[in-house]
Structures are given as structure tokens and as C-alpha cells.
Amino acid sequence: DIQMTQSPSTLSAFVGDRVTITCRASQSINSWLAWYQQRPGKAPKLLIYKASSLESGVPSRFSGSGSGTEFTLTISSLQPDDFATYYCQQYNSHSITFGQGTRLEI
Amino acid sequence: QVQLQQWGAGLLKPSETLSLTCAVYGGSFSGYCWSWIRQPPGEGLEWIGEINHSGSTNYNPSLKSRVTISIDTSRNQFSLKLTSVTAADTAIYYCARGGVTGAFGIWGQGTMVTVSS
């Protein structure tokens, strides 16, 4: 199995801050990486697919980068709605794993 | 607009079989993989497995011996069965649609399944 490791596990920030979350894969996954946002009591919401493609309807303050084994999710200017938990997910050869999550809090 | 609606029993006893179904409204089965994903209370996400419109499946190796995912294209539904459940299987179970990129763009509302004697 490919292991996905996110850092940090918890991130404290303020409205207006620029924040970056990192996800590392235990082996190369090319660009087969997605990012999700999950608010309490809700299903995850897709933000970024194929490492850097913005899902339709997602604000442009969200961006993704990376390839191979190291990836980042950046939020350019935090808004109150952005305080949530974020997960990365890899898709490689029909095997799927998620990172453990990063909780973004005020 | 594609929507997924899921249902199934929410309370099971140890050793019973978990059974959930997910219906797809407003879209086609073809060209997508249909997955089940779970999330224990307060924890992260775990992929259970997937099926495509042809019925080909892939499962998480850690659950493979207990999982069956099936599809009914005539009803636009797919289902999950997980046998011999224990308390460790207590979780919110989600159905989701995966595209060619492997990302899950559409999710069901989630079903809380509790395993308790």
C-alpha cells in the first residue's frame, strides 16, 4: 500500500493568512493526487484533482502543486469558511489511500 | 446534476453483515468508478473498494476478505456488503463517484453504522 503522510496534523491561523499543507507519498504517484475539505458533520468536498487542477466552483484562493512524492495545498488568503479538516488522497493502480488529515483552526 | 442517495441498516450486532446501497440520480454509470469510503468517529477516511459499470472491482487489501461490492445497472445502484462486523467497523459510510483522475467529485450523504452488542 502507498502511505500518505500529511503535515502538520493541526494548523492554527488567522483570517487573511496564507497557509500551506504538505502531503508526502511513500512512493511516486505521478500527479494522481486530490485534496478535500471536510467540515464537521458533512461529506468531504473535492477541491483539487490531479495535483493542481481546481475543481469547478472551488474558489481560486485554493491551489495545489507537486508531483511524484511531494505535494502541497495552499490557501492564499484564509476565509472564515476555510476552517475545516483537509485530506489528501492518492489514486494509483486502483489502490486508494488518504492522508490522516490536517485540522485548520483559528 | 448527479446526486447519490444511500441507505442501509444503522445498528448491527457483532458478526452480522453490513449492507448498504447507493442510488445514482441524474447521471450515467458508464465511465466512472463507484466507491465506498468510511470514517470512524473522529478519525480519518478509509477507502473500502470500488466497482465500475462493467462490474469489475478493486478492494482495500485490509478489508478484501470481508467485502463485496456489486452493481445493478438497471436500477443505477451499487451496494456494499461487509461480513463479520466488529466494533472496529463502526463508522460513517459514504458512497462516492470517482472519475478518470481517481478523485471523488460526488459523495453520498453518509450513513452512520454502529456495531454494538
Side-chain angles (χ1 to χ4, degrees), chain B residues 27-44:
Chain B
S28 169
F29 256 12
S30 298
Y32 298 99
C33 281
W34 305 92
S35 279
W36 289 97
I37 296 158
R38 70 180 183 179
Q39 185 172 36
E43 298 185 24

Side-chain angles (χ1 to χ4, degrees), chain A residues 4 17 19 25 27-28 33 36 39 46 67 76 80 85 99 104 106:
Chain A
M4 306 300 292
D17 282 354
V19 299
Q27 64 188 71
S28 177
L33 185 102
Y36 300 86
R39 297 194 179 97
L46 178 63
S67 66
S76 61
T85 300
L104 180 53
I106 299 174

Side-chain angles (χ1 to χ4, degrees), chain B residues 17-100:
Chain B
T17 295
L18 179 156
S19 182
L20 298 173
T21 298
C22 183
V24 181
Y25 297 104
S28 169
F29 256 12
S30 298
Y32 298 99
C33 281
W34 305 92
S35 279
W36 289 97
I37 296 158
R38 70 180 183 179
Q39 185 172 36
E43 298 185 24
L45 300 162
E46 180 181 36
W47 177 74
I48 299 169
E50 66 180 6
I51 191 167
N52 68 13
H53 69 281
S54 301
S56 296
T57 55
N58 291 291
Y59 298 131
N60 185 324
S62 69
L63 296 169
K64 188 173 184 176
S65 64
R66 298 193 292 132
V67 173
T68 301
I69 297 176
S70 59
I71 199 166
D72 184 345
T73 54
S74 67
R75 296 185 177 188
N76 271 20
Q77 294 176 359
F78 63 106
S79 298
L80 168 70
K81 288 193 188 302
L82 180 67
T83 61
S84 305
V85 297
T86 69
D89 295 310
T90 294
I92 299 171
Y93 286 73
Y94 294 101
C95 58
R97 188 184 82 172
V100 293

Side-chain angles (χ1 to χ4, degrees), chain A residues 32 36 38 42 87 89 94, chain B residues 39 50 58 94 101-102 104:
Chain A
W32 299 115
Y36 300 86
Q38 187 178 33
K42 300 294 186 182
Y87 294 94
Q89 172 241 320
H94 299 289
Chain B
Q39 185 172 36
E50 66 180 6
N58 291 291
Y94 294 101
T101 64
F104 300 109

